Amino acid sequence: MSFFYATLKRELLLVFRHRSDIINPLAFFLMVAVLFPLGVSPDPTFLSEVASGVIWVAALLACLLSVDGIFRSDYEDGSLEQMLISSESLWAIVTAKVITHWIVSGFFLALISPLVAMMFFLPEPAYPSLIASLLLGTPTLSLMGAIGSALTVGLRKGGVLISLLVLPLYIPVLIFGAGTVQAGAMGLPIQGYLALLAAILVFSLMLAPIAIVAALKISVRS
Amino acid sequence: MKVSMPRWFYQLASPRWFYSFTGKLLPWFGLATLVFLSVGLVWGLVFAPADYQQGNSFRIIYIHVPSSILAQSCYMLMAISGAIGLIWKMKIAHIIAQVCAPIGASIAVMSLATGAIWGKPTWGAWWVWDARLTAMLVLLFLYIGVIALHAAFENKASADKAAAILALVGLVNIPIIKYSVEWWNTLHQGATFTITEKPAMPPEMWIPLLIMVLGFYCFFSVVLMGHARVELLEREKRSDWVKQLIERY
């Protein structure tokens, strides 16, 4: 367990030394959200209708953008190989990396999401449901994204490919996440949605690390 | 405890045996395809009674339903043979998984296209955001992901393994995607359209449909074996038995 914490500390330290790694996904999130009023309509009633979907799609894209880098620098300098041949638990390494990615792309994003929600005239009662759904849904996005990242880390052109692999897997989280916010905006109970998001999270927390480790082994060997 | 697999399972792993075995099977499956598809098509398109509501436009069911069923089972086959390849390191299983992907994707496209053609006269639109349509579209996306990942690797062995893992991840996700999409549809729009239920379909209508489904499966087997044999020869081109085979012709 101390190994897990040591890895987590290393990863977090690396991220906080590169501040742009934290700021870029958040800036990307804001910019994508801004495109919708510009491209479709600035009408407040329209915006409040589509707010839940737009915020969730923007969050999903921001996560996708940053997920490509989870294993890349460690792969390029060879430390990933050392991690794979070490006797320590690979599960711990992978989970620590995914948690770090989630803190950067999910946790902070959930914290600034009310800003976008305000710009989109989302009704105020929906704010807690927005934050709760992002907090519960984005870890799943990080886990699924890490599978795609692990599969493509050995390839020179990861970018578009990783979106093709991962986006279809994001659909359930998008549906339930945006559904939570809509239910919250209409004053309906959101516990059912949150329970489903949590169930998907637990499920992917169990299975995704297995796939990530297997994928990393293939990528490093090739 | 030692668990031994049946003998045919190991034989299947031998490329040479697989090649000669499928060579013997192919004509029979080809014949079955010809019989089933011609009987099913003529029966379904000419002799089956017209639907009391949709008239003759319902007849596309004889293409649409078999291709939809096949698109899903092809994904299952791809993921399962990928898993077999990962576990038993069986070359043939990886070859099957690899050739399944483009075949499955084209069948999914066929299912979507025939669905659109059927949807236009029935629903008045080529596309509606119905749960089943969307699920099929996502299945197509999953196929595209597997094909793209396989193509991105230069080393075939890594490509096989990576694609197998992705196919398995997709297989686990398919039920989740299916139910989430169904729920999304019913939550958002209510059932504006329901895909015509067919519980009271008379036997004159469903027997040809069943024949068509069988015919599609046979056709799929023929195409799959053909592609797998070509891929096998390509991969084994340096081995002696392939060289002997080429010299014989």
Side-chain angles (χ1 to χ4, degrees), chain B residues 49-52 58 61 196-207:
Chain B
D51 187 78
Y52 77 103
F58 101 99
I61 197 174
T196 329
E197 292 289 335
K198 42 181 198 284
M201 201 187 230
E204 312 80 274
M205 278 174 158
W206 66 254
I207 292 175

Side-chain angles (χ1 to χ4, degrees), chain B residues 41 59-68 110 114 212 216:
Chain B
L41 270 180
R59 290 184 197 277
I60 201 166
I61 197 174
Y62 295 110
I63 311 284
H64 179 66
V65 168
S67 52
S68 310
M110 183 152 79
T114 50
M212 283 303 285
F216 263 66

Side-chain angles (χ1 to χ4, degrees), chain A residues 17-205:
Chain A
R17 295 263 163 87
H18 293 105
R19 298 247 167 74
S20 63
D21 284 359
I22 302 176
I23 293 163
N24 288 356
L26 299 181
F28 179 81
F29 172 63
L30 281 177
M31 284 179 197
V32 169
V34 165
L35 294 180
F36 284 86
L38 292 175
V40 191
S41 156
D43 174 37
T45 47
F46 166 75
L47 285 180
S48 68
E49 251 174 54
V50 298
S52 58
V54 168
I55 295 172
W56 257 97
V57 169
L60 197 143
L61 292 176
C63 177
L64 193 67
L65 178 87
S66 53
V67 87
D68 192 27
I70 293 191
F71 301 108
R72 188 154 305 270
S73 66
D74 277 347
Y75 174 78
E76 277 164 2
D77 66 13
S79 37
L80 191 65
E81 209 172 340
Q82 297 303 315
M83 289 173 192
L84 287 178
I85 59 174
S86 76
S87 58
E88 297 293 347
S89 148
L90 290 173
W91 183 88
I93 297 170
V94 162
T95 314
K97 279 183 172 294
V98 172
I99 289 174
T100 313
H101 175 261
W102 172 70
I103 288 175
V104 172
S105 73
F107 179 68
F108 289 143
L109 196 141
L111 291 187
I112 67 153
S113 63
L115 183 67
V116 180
M118 181 204 67
M119 289 161 74
F120 273 77
F121 308 101
L122 190 74
E124 262 165 43
Y127 281 34
S129 62
L130 176 67
I131 298 175
S133 68
L134 281 172
L135 284 179
L136 270 176
T138 45
T140 311
L141 301 185
S142 293
L143 282 163
M144 299 278 188
I147 301 178
S149 175
L151 283 170
T152 55
V153 72
L155 304 169
R156 252 162 278 137
K157 34 179 188 193
V160 183
L161 184 61
I162 195 169
S163 332
L164 285 183
L165 309 186
V166 170
L167 278 179
L169 306 176
Y170 278 181
I171 288 169
V173 181
L174 173 69
I175 289 172
F176 293 130
T180 316
V181 185
Q182 276 186 344
M186 287 188 278
L188 299 171
I190 56 167
Q191 286 89 338
Y193 283 101
L194 293 182
L196 275 167
L197 282 173
I200 296 179
L201 173 59
V202 171
F203 190 62
S204 45
L205 199 57

Side-chain angles (χ1 to χ4, degrees), chain A residues 144 147 151-152 155-156 161 164-165 168-169 171-172 175-176 179 182 192-193 196 200 203 207 211 214-215 218-219 221-222, chain B residues 86 138 141-142 144-146 148-149 152-155 158 161-162 165-166 169-170 172-173 176-177 180-181 183-184 187-188:
Chain A
M144 299 278 188
I147 301 178
L151 283 170
T152 55
L155 304 169
R156 252 162 278 137
L161 184 61
L164 285 183
L165 309 186
L169 306 176
I171 288 169
I175 289 172
F176 293 130
Q182 276 186 344
Y193 283 101
L196 275 167
I200 296 179
F203 190 62
L207 294 182
I218 293 164
S219 289
R221 247 173 242 164
S222 69
Chain B
L86 282 179
V138 175
F141 290 160
L142 290 173
I144 291 174
V146 173
L149 185 67
F153 280 88
E154 273 167 29
N155 178 354
S158 314
K161 287 186 210 154
I165 289 180
L166 185 66
V169 171
V172 173
N173 269 281
I176 304 175
I177 293 172
S180 66
V181 167
W183 212 34
W184 153 78
L187 275 178
H188 278 232

Side-chain angles (χ1 to χ4, degrees), chain B residues 60-81:
Chain B
I60 201 166
I61 197 174
Y62 295 110
I63 311 284
H64 179 66
V65 168
S67 52
S68 310
I69 297 173
L70 194 54
Q72 292 173 35
S73 15
C74 182
Y75 196 92
M76 294 267 282
L77 177 64
M78 179 176 75
I80 291 168
S81 37

